[in-house]
Every structure is written in C-alpha cells, then in structure tokens.
Amino acid sequence: MKSLFLPVHVFFLLIFSLLFAKACMAFEIRDLVEYVDPFIGVRDPGSNTTIGPQLPFGSINPGPDTKDGGPDGYHPARPIRGFSQNHVSGTGGGGKYGHILISPQIGLAIDKEGHDSEKAGEIAMAHYYSVRLTRYDIRVELTPTEHAAIYRLTFPQSEEAHILFDLGHNIPGDIAGSWTGGYLEAGEVKIDSENNRITGWGQYYGGWQAEAYRVYFVAEISKASSAHGVWKDGKIQAGEKTVAVAAPKERIGAYFQYSTGEEEVVHLKIAVSFRSIEQAEKHLREEIPGWDFAAVAAAARAKWNEYLSTILIDDPTATREQLTIFYTALYHTAIMPRDRTGDCPWEDYAGPYWDDHYAIWDTFRTLFPLYALVKPSIVRDNINSFITRFHRNGKVMDAFIAGRDGGSPQGGDAVDTVIADAYLKGITGVDWYEAYAILKDAAENKRLPAYREHDRGWIPDDLVEGWPPASVSKTLEFAYNDFTTALVARGLGFMEDYERYLRRSRQWENLWSSRTKSNQPGSRSFSGFIRPRRSNMAWVSYDPDKWYTWDGPFFYEGSAWTYSYYVPHDVHRLIQLMGGPEKFVARTKYAFENNLIDLGNEPSFLVARLFNYALRPDLTSYYVRKSMAHWTLDGYPGNEDSGAMSSWYIFSALGFFPVAGQDLYLINGPLFKKCTIQLENGKKLVVEGINASEENIYVAALTINGEEYDKNWLRHSEIKDGGRLVFQMAAEPTDWGKTVPVPASFPAPSIR
C-alpha cells in the first residue's frame, strides 16, 4: 500500500508554490493604458521620445519617420515618410536605427523624399498607432509583439496600390542629420512572390556609437500581389526578386503592387532580429502566427497594463493631467534598455542580454534605482549581461547600442554605480565577485590616466585625454565611482582596495577654489566653486557662470554651478566648503531662484535634495515640487534620456528619491494621497499622503509601519519588503526632519 503522506521536500515545495501563486494573484491589474500619452515628449520635439508603440522592454519599436525628426526620427509638424521598425527614445546625439522603412503608396515613388505624405487622424497609444496618409488616403495601423509587428493597411480603390520596402533608410543619415552620418554598408533583399514574402538584411553605420551592426528581417503580406520588383539607387527593376548592395551607401529596396477595392484591408507582418534571418522567421512564426490584428493589439495592451499597474494611484483629487503625466512617465521607463535575450548576435549564448543603453550616464541615477525597488530582476539581468559583455568584449561601456560596446563615456564610469547600487541594495542572483572584476578593471584601467597616476584622484586640465575634454566633471564622476567601488570592495572583503579607492575618492577637493566667485548679480557673497586646474597646481581661467556644451571644455553639459554640487559621497564636506549649513542653504536657494541649476541634465538631479543634508527638508519639498512643474503634457526639460527624466518624476511624486550608488533615499513628501507600489517580490509598499495637494507640499509628520519617523532620509532596506509610509502633509513649513541624524553615506569610516 502506498503511503498517503508526501515526502517532506515535496510538501514544502507545494506550500511554497501555493504561497507564490497567492502572491501572484494578489497583484492587481488595472486598465491604465488610457492615461499614457505618447505625444508627451513629441509635442515638444526637444524631448525626443519615440511616438511608436512597443511592449515593455520589447526589442522592436515600429513607428513613423519624418524629415527633421531628430534622434527619435519623428517631427509632429512634418509629412510622414514611412514606418521603420526600430527607434531610440528620449536621446540626444546622432540618433540610431530607423531601418526597414515600409511605405504604403498609391503609385510608386522610390526616391527617399518622393513618397512623403501629410497626415490626419493620428492616434498614439502605448500599444497601438494609427494615422491616415492624406496624400494616398491610406489608413495605417500598427501594433507590436516582442520582436515583430503587424500592420493593418486600409487602401482606397486603386490599380496602383503599392507597398514599398526601403532598406537604405536610416535615422542618422536621412532624418537626424547626425554628425557621424549614416548609411547602408551592405545588405540584400529577396522576394518570395509565391508566398507573399520578403526577407533581407542590412549592415548599418552611423549615429551614436557609430560602429557597424546588422539587422535581419522577414515580412509577409496577407494579399497576393499583381506585380513586384526591386530597386537600387533610383532605378526600378520590375519583376526581379533579388537585389544586393555592391558598395557602401547604395540604397536598395523592393515593392509589391496590388489592385485594391474601396476600404480594402491588407495586413503586413514583419519580424526583426539582430542575430539571423532564421531567428527573425522564428520570431514571426511564434509571435504572430496568423493575421488577427485585434488579438495582437489586445495582448500588447494587456502587457502594458500589467507593467503600469506596478504603481497604483488611489487619489480621488488627482486630476486627469496629473495621472497622464505620471503614467506616461512610467511608460517611458520601460522603453529602453531593451531585453534582447535570445536575440543577441552571439549565437552560442542564451543568457540575459540587454541592449540599447543610450546611455547609462543618463539612467544610472534614477532609472536603475527605480528598477532596483520595483523590479530588481531587471537590474540582476542587466548586471549579468554586463558580466558576459566584459568576458567577451573586455569592456563594459557607458553606451551599448545594437550590440556594440564602444566610444568614450560622457562622464565617468556609470556602469560601476549601477553595479554598486544593486550590491548595496541586496539584489540577488549575481556573482558579485565577477561583477567586482568590472569595477576593479574600471578603477585600474578605465579612469583617465591622469586621474589614476600615483592615485592623484583628480584630472589636471593640461593632462585630460579623450572626448569630452571635461577635466572637472570627469574628476567628480570618477571620484564618485571610486567611492561606490570602495563600498563594494569592503563588502566583499577587499579591504586594501576599499581604503585605497575611498582615499582617492576624496581628492576631488583639489579642484575646489574657495576664492572663486560668480559674476551673477547678487551672488558675490557666495565664495567657492569647483574649477579646472593644471598639473602645476595653477588655476585655469574660466567662467563659473557659463553652461559648457557636450564637447566641454572643463564640464560636460553643465556649469560650475551645477557641478559644484556633484559630490554625492561627500556632501557634508561640501557644505563646510560652502561656508556651513546656513550659507549652503542661502546659496542653493539663490541658484534655484536664478535658474542656475539646469533641470534638463542629469548632474542636477540631486541638487534640490541636498537641503536635507543641511536639515532643511522643507526647502527640498519646495524646490522639488517647483521643479516638477517643468514636466508637462508637452514634454520634459531637455531630452527625456531613455527613462531618466521620467523616473526622476516618479520618485518625486512618490515622495522619496534615491542617491544612486548608496542604500539611501532622501525624503520630499508625496504628490498623491495614496500610491501602492506592487513590488516584484509580491509585497506592497503603500505611500499615503494625508492632506497631500498642490498646496500641501511640506511634510509635517511621517510614520513607517506605524512607528513615528523623524529622519529626512531612509534606507532601501526599510522599504524593499513593502510596508506603509504615512505622511501628514501641510501647507506651511514644519519642524519635521530638521534634527539629527543628517543623511549619511553608506556607513564607512572617513579616510583623509
């Protein structure tokens, strides 16, 4: 007779499975797609967000391209040229992608500007895009899967209906006017007319991180064509089925011709791979096996609702505008980077592979800390992807696009801070000794030679190398990289590294000039700025009030006003150098009131929070809320930067903000009366803002899990497993959070 009792290990496995299933069932999903407006960041072309839909972290991002479209490929006031299958979002630089352009037409125009069409009835949603091309009276609708997209094309009655494929089209060369240019280096297109099918590949050069990369595609059409052909450099080859690039910069493509009735629908589905045509075929077969456009759109909408439900807002006083700005920001946090696991160019590798970091200098401060809180598996898989790249490429660069590591970092070694942030927050599933090898290599080999020489810890302006020639801002960023590396070293037991990198991280002070003054009206009482210096210790003449551009010198996209605050590991020393807490507060208020802090660039992200270190959290609340007004229904203050600006807003609305690279959040108080963050581990973090409103912006009291809490900062460890933060909000400043202890860096002895 068989025993009726389960083995112990099976019993506990069953219990665990039931508990896990219960936790999963507890995840509430709401229909929040209605609050996503992809025109935010498009109405203001300077934000450069993509208008086309994709799945959360999906590989493909189809959408319209236009002349003067910028890095994202689209300008709302220009005619539509066609629909390409990949875009970057929120970026600066020269743009990227824009390959495999599809142009439905009446008649056949193969010139790159010859088929541009005005538009009407444009609809953009997280999961769906639709527009009518008025030149042809063709309605174009599209919706994506992970690696594929399906188009629904509604034609008028015509004997001259065409679908054009342009393999030569690319955003850096044809749309954004990148300084690197952009062109097709090699490629091939093949038509299978019997199966209404087209396949091909292109090797592209240009845009940010200009190294060449390949893209493969397979497309199928639901209707048999009446004619077909290929073309090259303006010459049509009717009836031909194959065309290839013979020399770089040639343009090639193909077309199908149809006889259509009034309002006739033709479906087109296309899959894109960065690995092979065979992989693209697999994507198309598995992700869109039929022609059910509505089913694909519904599945895409469901995916977005699941992601957007990570944060649920329950505030009856919240306006439609507030909810739209918030959930569109949350949407923008899931565009880039992209999960291309299983579709990377390395055919012998099937592990985690995340692409389109454009660039981590933008995203390490807010986007990755947001993932660390709500979806730590994303951070885990990105770091494991870093480790693989380090083993294969010998480096992990700030920007990684279309599978290419390369180029100079904009600032410091931002990857280091992502790794350190995850380690200090206890994210599991990473071999931290393997990850530390990346940090160690950067500290010993990637920091500029002048910074590393004899552990100088700062960069003399006459010894700066590479692009950008930003000796001061790179010094500050390398110093912080050293600090966060030191913390990981200590945790792993590498005490010699810890002491050395910690000591080196303090050497930024060699660039502090206590006598330097601003020339701004009314600012002469504030002394001390970060300043360029030569190797002989002589100060370099510069203008502390000037905003320096992307090519420097001295600073990368910022001024001495912003960068003089960028020492996240040494804020208490900075306050001393600025004359003590009272002087620090007066100076920082002056900087905000006179628009000297550039809200459109990431180095400014922490400045409004630094009042907490001077025990003035009321001013943090005031200037954070004032800054949030720059996030509007039109766009963001500057480039959206791949989710960086959006995650800044999300943390600000939740009421606490990360110091990336440390187990630390600085409190400012919530925008909404109640938010529920549904954590990946099944727990919930509830943030209540009693009396929160546009007027009630100051924290009067705070309890955490029912216990009174008077510090103006908290640790990740206090919220990572859920709980309840209850804020009492007031219309006037209060005494809450104005007593010690002040915010501290991750516990570490001071070495000077």
Side-chain angles (χ1 to χ4, degrees), residues 65 81-84 99-103 115 164-166 169:
D65 291 351
R81 180 156 301 169
F83 304 86
S84 63
H99 23 62
I100 318 164
L101 186 82
I102 296 171
S103 171
H115 45 79
L164 176 80
F165 291 82
D166 184 346
H169 176 85

Side-chain angles (χ1 to χ4, degrees), residues 476 512 529-530 559-568 571 574 578 583-592 596-597 603-604 606-607 610-611:
L476 297 173
W512 186 264
F529 281 90
I530 202 76
S559 71
W561 273 97
T562 292
Y563 275 105
S564 290
Y565 288 100
Y566 191 70
V567 282
V571 180
L574 177 67
M578 287 188 174
K583 276 276 191 183
F584 174 85
V585 166
R587 172 179 174 150
T588 310
K589 287 173 61 179
Y590 175 89
F592 275 104
L596 298 172
I597 303 301
S604 69
L606 269 177
V607 179
L610 300 184
F611 290 110

